[in-house]
Amino acid sequence: MRILIVDDDDSIRDYLIIVLENLLDSLDIIECTSSQEALKLVSADPYFQLIISDYDMPGGNGDQLYLGLKERNYEIPFLLHSSRSLEEIPTLTKIKSMSKDFFYIQKGLALNQFESALQSLAPFKGQAPLLNYKRVRIYFFLRFSKSLCDVYIKLNDQKYIKFIHKDDAFDSSQIKRILEKNVEYLYITDQDYLEFAVSLVKQPFLLQTQDMTPEDRIKSSQMMLQHMAMTTGLTRSVLSMAERNIELVMMEAADLDQLSKLLNQLRARQDYNYDHAYLLCYFCCVLCDALGWQTRRSREKLCFASLFHDITLKDPDLSFIQRIDDQRLVQFSPDEIQEYKSHPQQSASLLGELAESYPQVDQIVEQHHERPDGSGFPKGLKAHQLQPMSCLFIVCHALVSEMYKLDFDKTLYPKMMKDLKLQYNLGHFQKIVEKLEDVLLKVSSVKTN
Ligand SMILES: [Fe+2]
Ligand SMILES: [Fe+2]
């Protein structure tokens, strides 16, 4: 619906836009501040389906605008939105009694009254009703700068305001401002959600604009991951400690031939593989400290293992899979399944360059899909055959994967911790999972019995 709003008061125009955007899903609103401007706009483009106008305006009141339009033979429904009552202005009473396309709503009505008054007017009948929405974690928007669909902020269950328009570029400061208000989600319509088959690992309805440099991309990804980690309750100081370790290992890797190539490949990725590698670094560092294993070396080893453990997996969907008997593997080609089965060893062998300065990293990587009961792969090792560092890594890896599955919904963490405690209850795992629960308890009030 194409609507012209005429009001010299900016706040009233903003208010009208918000209300209209919540009533109708497809809108094209043009604004102006005077009757003369309105007449010019209509004569340049007579295809407005509704004009909403104030009464008291400098240079010509609302009734003059209506009569001016009639003089020029325009048949556009006209809604006068005024603080004055119709009875106060005789010309308006007359117009109202003679015209079918003239409507009136008093200014200052409560929002719900105003909305129902609007909905009862003829121009709004038959308009598409409100859509349903799907929520999207707000920090995902930090990585991107362009949206392929309209994005909304939720006011309440019935009301959503358009925040980013389709194809509009936006910047992270816009997103940060609402993040600061503790808004957790933005919304897109069900229809768009289906259209883009939203899967947050596959760059769905968001894009990066062309003008972003590779450094900007890395920075925005990092910003997103930090916010993601912070919603799990990790504090800034914990994150910056982990960041320092990540930086250190990245610098070290940059000096090594093979690893620097792999690192660049990893950083160019914008998918689950990169994201979970990075989040894994955070959790490994935190848990390592909580367990009192906080030598710099152990944190660095865990960061190396985190960054490179899935480096040989090309499809991010494969990085999501935890177990060799997962039914989702069926959809992949025999080559891809083979790639998956051997990726712990393949990735570990690429870390050979590190063996001297960081012994054990390749072992951690090779064992990251082993499980305490021996049902893991590639070797089916049991809890007592796994080193504590490997156990810590396996637990953190499972944690990150679960958090993703739960869309980082903190209310579901107690159940998640309960399941993890049941699964990882042997050997070194037991103490590690208990410590993990303590860490999460401290930061996000998660406790299970
Ligand atoms: Fe893996
Ligand atoms: Fe992984």
Side-chain angles (χ1 to χ4, degrees):
M1 189 174 193
R2 192 162 166 74
I3 301 178
L4 175 63
I5 298 179
V6 195
D7 201 312
D8 55 331
D9 185 332
D10 296 349
S11 59
I12 298 287
R13 289 198 315 278
D14 288 347
Y15 172 77
L16 286 169
I17 290 171
I18 289 173
V19 175
L20 290 167
E21 285 190 333
N22 278 291
L23 280 178
L24 306 170
D25 68 5
S26 172
L27 271 181
D28 187 5
I29 296 178
I30 314 288
E31 304 164 64
C32 69
T33 55
S34 71
S35 298
Q36 294 104 314
E37 249 184 291
L39 282 170
K40 270 191 215 156
L41 281 167
V42 175
S43 47
D45 173 7
Y47 300 109
F48 288 102
Q49 291 158 290
L50 177 67
I51 295 172
I52 304 180
S53 173
D54 185 18
Y55 178 77
D56 289 300
M57 288 184 292
N61 287 340
D63 56 341
Q64 286 166 273
L65 173 58
Y66 178 78
L67 294 171
L69 289 164
K70 288 284 141 195
E71 248 173 53
R72 292 166 176 78
N73 295 319
Y74 292 118
E75 298 292 334
I76 305 170
F78 190 95
L79 169 63
L80 192 87
H81 180 226
S82 171
S83 46
R84 299 208 194 197
S85 70
L86 280 180
E87 294 70 40
E88 274 179 84
I89 311 154
T91 51
L92 289 182
T93 320
K94 198 168 159 206
I95 291 171
K96 176 96 178 77
S97 65
M98 293 172 64
S99 320
K100 280 196 176 133
D101 61 354
F102 183 92
F103 306 90
Y104 167 83
I105 291 184
Q106 179 129 31
K107 262 187 193 171
L109 289 180
L111 184 63
N112 56 351
Q113 287 174 300
F114 181 66
E115 281 179 344
S116 43
L118 267 182
Q119 272 169 321
S120 68
L121 299 178
F124 289 91
K125 298 260 168 75
Q127 291 294 325
L130 265 182
L131 298 155
N132 289 320
Y133 298 85
K134 282 267 183 302
R135 64 186 198 177
V136 179
R137 286 268 174 200
I138 195 166
Y139 42 64
F140 286 112
F141 291 81
L142 286 169
R143 174 183 278 167
F144 303 98
S145 51
K146 186 178 172 182
S147 172
L148 297 177
C149 64
D150 292 331
V151 177
Y152 299 78
I153 289 182
K154 180 178 179 176
L155 292 187
N156 59 43
D157 285 345
Q158 273 80 44
K159 294 185 181 41
Y160 294 78
I161 305 174
K162 206 176 281 179
F163 176 63
I164 299 165
H165 290 256
K166 184 179 174 186
D167 293 328
D168 269 7
F170 58 90
D171 64 48
S172 56
S173 59
Q174 267 172 287
I175 307 293
K176 273 201 245 165
R177 272 201 299 277
I178 33 176
L179 259 176
E180 279 158 15
K181 290 179 185 152
N182 292 326
V183 173
E184 283 188 63
Y185 298 97
L186 288 173
Y187 293 79
I188 65 173
T189 65
D190 270 354
Q191 203 186 338
D192 288 333
Y193 196 85
L194 281 177
E195 189 178 332
F196 294 109
V198 174
S199 143
L200 290 168
V201 288
K202 285 190 167 174
Q203 292 199 17
F205 55 93
L206 296 165
L207 289 178
Q208 279 173 332
T209 52
Q210 300 292 318
D211 49 4
M212 271 181 116
T213 63
E215 288 74 29
D216 283 346
R217 279 166 204 227
I218 291 172
K219 230 188 269 170
S220 59
S221 283
Q222 225 153 301
M223 193 157 51
M224 180 200 94
L225 291 163
Q226 284 167 358
H227 276 278
M228 199 181 252
M230 264 152 52
T231 59
T232 67
L234 299 185
T235 61
R236 265 185 205 284
S237 64
V238 162
L239 290 180
S240 52
M241 176 270 289
E243 288 281 339
R244 277 198 302 279
N245 283 286
I246 298 171
E247 265 167 46
L248 262 165
V249 303
M250 282 190 171
M251 271 162 59
E252 199 133 338
D255 286 340
L256 300 165
D257 281 349
Q258 178 98 323
L259 286 193
S260 65
K261 267 187 229 140
L262 294 173
L263 188 62
N264 288 336
Q265 278 167 22
L266 179 75
R267 295 175 89 174
R269 298 181 75 139
Q270 300 271 312
D271 56 29
Y272 177 74
N273 200 324
Y274 175 82
D275 293 356
H276 90 299
Y278 219 89
L279 287 175
L280 198 47
C281 288
Y282 290 147
F283 282 104
C284 284
C285 287
V286 173
L287 196 50
C288 190
D289 271 14
L291 285 159
W293 305 349
Q294 68 272 49
T295 66
R296 211 185 83 184
R297 263 309 193 238
S298 29
R299 277 196 241 123
E300 284 171 20
K301 281 182 197 172
L302 289 163
C303 285
F304 264 120
S306 304
L307 293 177
F308 295 105
H309 72 283
D310 280 340
I311 198 79
T312 52
L313 289 177
K314 290 176 204 83
D315 188 330
D317 281 351
L318 281 172
S319 324
F320 259 120
I321 295 175
Q322 295 295 308
R323 302 181 61 137
I324 206 94
D325 55 0
D326 191 311
Q327 281 309 304
R328 286 173 295 180
L329 271 177
V330 178
Q331 57 182 297
F332 292 92
S333 69
D335 282 353
E336 284 169 322
I337 295 174
Q338 190 44 47
E339 176 193 305
Y340 179 74
K341 284 183 178 168
S342 61
H343 85 274
Q345 286 142 321
Q346 298 291 339
S347 302
S349 72
L350 290 174
L351 291 167
E353 274 183 288
L354 282 176
E356 239 174 73
S357 30
Y358 294 93
Q360 226 189 330
V361 173
D362 53 347
Q363 191 188 56
I364 299 172
V365 169
E366 190 180 323
Q367 296 174 345
H368 77 273
H369 284 284
E370 299 290 355
R371 297 176 62 84
D373 59 1
S375 65
F377 72 100
K379 293 191 174 154
L381 300 176
K382 292 201 167 156
H384 69 273
Q385 296 169 291
L386 295 162
Q387 295 294 318
M389 290 276 264
S390 292
C391 298
L392 182 148
F393 191 82
I394 292 167
V395 166
C396 289
H397 192 248
L399 173 81
V400 170
S401 154
E402 286 305 310
M403 283 178 159
Y404 254 94
K405 267 193 234 158
L406 303 176
D407 190 25
F408 294 87
D409 185 341
K410 264 193 235 174
T411 61
L412 304 173
Y413 289 175
K415 161 99 177 50
M416 170 189 77
M417 272 317 304
K418 207 171 178 178
D419 292 345
L420 287 176
K421 273 166 90 179
L422 282 174
Q423 288 177 55
Y424 298 94
N425 58 355
L426 298 169
H428 300 296
F429 284 106
Q430 212 170 350
K431 184 175 155 200
I432 290 167
V433 178
E434 275 166 19
K435 200 41 105 180
L436 175 66
E437 187 180 26
D438 281 353
V439 170
L440 282 186
L441 166 71
K442 233 191 260 160
V443 295
S444 58
S445 319
V446 172
K447 183 74 183 166
T448 61
N449 295 313

